[in-house]
Amino acid sequence: MDLRRVLEFLDQCRVSGQRAVLVTVCAVEGSSMRNPGTIMGVAADGRFAGSLSGGCIENAVVSEALEALKAGAARVVRYGRGSSYVDIRLPCGGGLDLQFCPLDPASRFAADCLALVEARSAFSIEVGPEGARCEEGWSPACFDPASRTARFGHWPAPLLQITGHGAGVSALAQLAQPMGCEVRVLTPDERIIAALREEGLNALRLERRTQSDLMSGDPWTAFVFLFHDHDWEIELMHRALGLPHFYLGAMGGMRAHEARCAALRARAISEDRIAAIRSPIGLFHSSRDPHTLALSTLAEIIRTYQRCDFTAAQLACA
């Protein structure tokens, strides 16, 4: 979930006129902390962003990246099992093939990627001997050891549209942002809005229960309803159910959910859509502590996101 942070780091290197290296996990053998397509950025002064393991090879990766900068050419290096670096081992016993791709300050690779991140568009990163390139649209992972080329697709980060009131709203928003999620809060509580805006979070005021025009979604959106007064949610949930999303969950016990479903049926919402509502919300239920509820909810959202096949969604958005 630190893709954006690494790209921002690489783009800052470009803006400051400093050379950098894009490091990409191209292949994994056995166990590994990170999946193929994971990236890390290394600046010419030795600073870096991102990680490719649990901390066991990062120093070696930085050293290799600086060597690639001196040589001025991309290279693929194996670490762990099967590596020529016998003194560098992965505790898990696996192996990693990493592509080191030097970036000149003139390269707009990171800026091009960030533009698509901001637009919430799927994109792919292609690396090889000729350098790094950003392409619009998602591509399945592929790595050709012979040509030392690889391509990896990246979906937009989850967008949590949190609608509700109470401490759970703030707790979920504050937990989701450091995890790399985008956050948008709709609440009638002005105190929550003021506090979240001070932290740089996007928060808008709901002035009435029928203000559904503030809601928007895409295939990578998770709608989260955290109202104690469930009368607030029906009009807003009706709107959300008609928007693209990969997750919709609502706080409340069994009786509250039964009343919610009845109200939605009265609005001619289909049984399939009603059945897809996650309630009680979260991976572990019956939590009345706001922070535990936030953790439980975010865990369920991230698990759902990771299990989704967004290929059809990309075609629909093309």
Side-chain angles (χ1 to χ4, degrees), residues 137-174:
W138 183 89
S139 297
C142 64
F143 172 52
D144 179 13
S147 64
R148 295 178 297 152
T149 59
R151 183 185 297 110
F152 300 98
H154 297 276
W155 300 115
L159 167 61
L160 272 64
Q161 186 154 298
I162 308 166
T163 307
H165 48 222
V169 171
S170 299
L172 180 56
Q174 292 162 341

Side-chain angles (χ1 to χ4, degrees), residues 164-187:
H165 48 222
V169 171
S170 299
L172 180 56
Q174 292 162 341
L175 182 63
Q177 188 179 49
M179 288 294 296
C181 299
E182 296 188 31
V183 175
R184 189 168 186 261
V185 172
L186 304 178
T187 178

Side-chain angles (χ1 to χ4, degrees), residues 17 70 85 123 144 156 205 211-212 223-224 227 236 258 289 313:
K70 290 180 183 178
Y85 294 133
F123 67 96
D144 179 13
R205 185 185 176 196
Q211 202 173 2
S212 60
F223 289 109
V224 184
F227 283 111
L236 301 170
E258 288 175 353
D289 171 68

Side-chain angles (χ1 to χ4, degrees), residues 215 223 225 233-245 247-249 260-261 263-265 267-278:
M215 308 196 74
F223 289 109
F225 290 87
E233 68 188 16
I234 301 304
E235 182 74 27
L236 301 170
M237 191 175 291
H238 185 180
R239 165 72 171 165
L241 286 167
L243 294 170
H245 62 276
Y247 174 97
L248 193 154
R260 174 188 299 130
C261 292
L264 292 172
R265 288 190 190 98
R267 291 169 170 260
I269 301 297
S270 70
E271 289 297 328
D272 287 345
R273 288 189 176 184
I274 292 174
I277 299 171
R278 309 292 182 95

Side-chain angles (χ1 to χ4, degrees), residues 7 17 20 130 140 157 180 190 197 229 235 268-269 279:
L7 291 172
E130 303 303 316
E190 293 184 352
R197 285 179 177 175
D229 179 357
E235 182 74 27
I269 301 297
S279 185

